[in-house]
Amino acid sequence: MSLRAQLMRTEREASARQHQLERYAADLREIFKQERSRAQELRDSYKATVRALSNAVEARDAYTGKHAERVTAYGIALARAAGLDIDSLPGIEFGFLLHDVGKVAVPDAVLFKPSSLSDDEFALIATHPVIGSEILRDVDFLGAGRLVVRHHHERWDGRGYPDRLSGDDIPLAARVFAVADALDALTTDRPYRRATHFSRARDEIRSHAGSQFDPMVVAAFETIPDRRFAELRDAVA
Ligand SMILES: [Fe+2]
């Protein structure tokens, strides 16, 4: 074979190989797209399941209606401001939604008692983070969200429950949640008091930085204006 013929053959082979590689790349792109859409479907169905469970918990309490949805919206905004990579940890959002799932084990007569609680009654309510984390123990896709369920009533100073953790020993997502939870509790009507404005709630939360709340999370909270929280609240209502 002449040199020229050899060169032409080599070129044809190289071009055929290139076409084959391009086809592989196109196939891979298509497979990746399908996988991504399947992963999204799976994530959507996880979310729908978690919301159904959260709604079932909330349906018992006419007063706090949509509390879980609001506190989740506040929690996501706060988590981002506190530097928590919530987008790559979707279980945290689920943990926010399901934080009080353990209340299913607390009788109505105690949970909705309008007057003050006896020590025994308070002890019963205080079991809900442990019961909640037990209920969700084998639900792997919740990931770090289970820690939110267990530790959402811990306090920065170690005087919370159930494990009396303090400071950085409390998972960051649970420290974030504690602020979001207080914000919603203060800005919604309760049987025993009226809702306060976001600005008053902010003063209250600020006054508990370093005792109830992580000061770093409170500082992150201060970067989010009242009107942003109002928008998040109104989007849920
Ligand atoms: Fe709770």
Side-chain angles (χ1 to χ4, degrees), residues 67 99-101 103 125 128-129 148-149 152-153 161 177 181:
H67 160 71
H99 63 282
D100 271 346
V101 70
K103 283 188 177 169
I125 287 192
H128 79 270
V148 174
V149 176
H152 71 278
H153 286 290
Y161 61 90
F177 180 85
D181 199 21

Side-chain angles (χ1 to χ4, degrees), residues 54-193:
S54 159
N55 288 341
V57 175
E58 299 250 289
R60 283 176 78 196
D61 189 348
Y63 248 100
T64 59
K66 297 229 175 183
H67 160 71
E69 296 269 346
R70 278 192 310 271
V71 86
T72 298
Y74 299 161
I76 291 171
L78 257 174
R80 290 207 173 104
L84 189 59
D85 184 9
I86 196 144
D87 297 311
S88 61
L89 298 165
I92 290 177
E93 179 181 348
F94 299 152
F96 290 169
L97 280 165
L98 294 174
H99 63 282
D100 271 346
V101 70
K103 283 188 177 169
V104 293
V106 181
D108 284 4
V110 175
L111 200 56
F112 306 126
K113 192 177 171 189
S115 49
S116 57
L117 297 171
S118 70
D119 289 348
D120 285 348
E121 288 165 339
F122 179 77
L124 194 58
I125 287 192
T127 60
H128 79 270
V130 175
I131 292 170
S133 58
E134 283 298 307
I135 289 172
L136 302 172
R137 190 182 50 201
D138 296 323
V139 188
D140 290 337
F141 74 83
L142 292 176
R146 283 175 298 197
L147 295 174
V148 174
V149 176
R150 184 165 184 113
H151 297 298
H152 71 278
H153 286 290
E154 305 285 0
R155 292 171 49 111
W156 181 251
D157 60 12
R159 292 172 52 226
Y161 61 90
D163 298 314
R164 298 181 72 86
L165 298 183
S166 64
D168 290 340
D169 288 343
I170 306 166
L172 177 56
R175 283 180 266 148
V176 162
F177 180 85
V179 173
D181 199 21
L183 183 66
D184 189 57
L186 291 164
T187 54
T188 48
D189 285 331
R190 294 292 158 104
Y192 42 89
R193 57 149 181 76

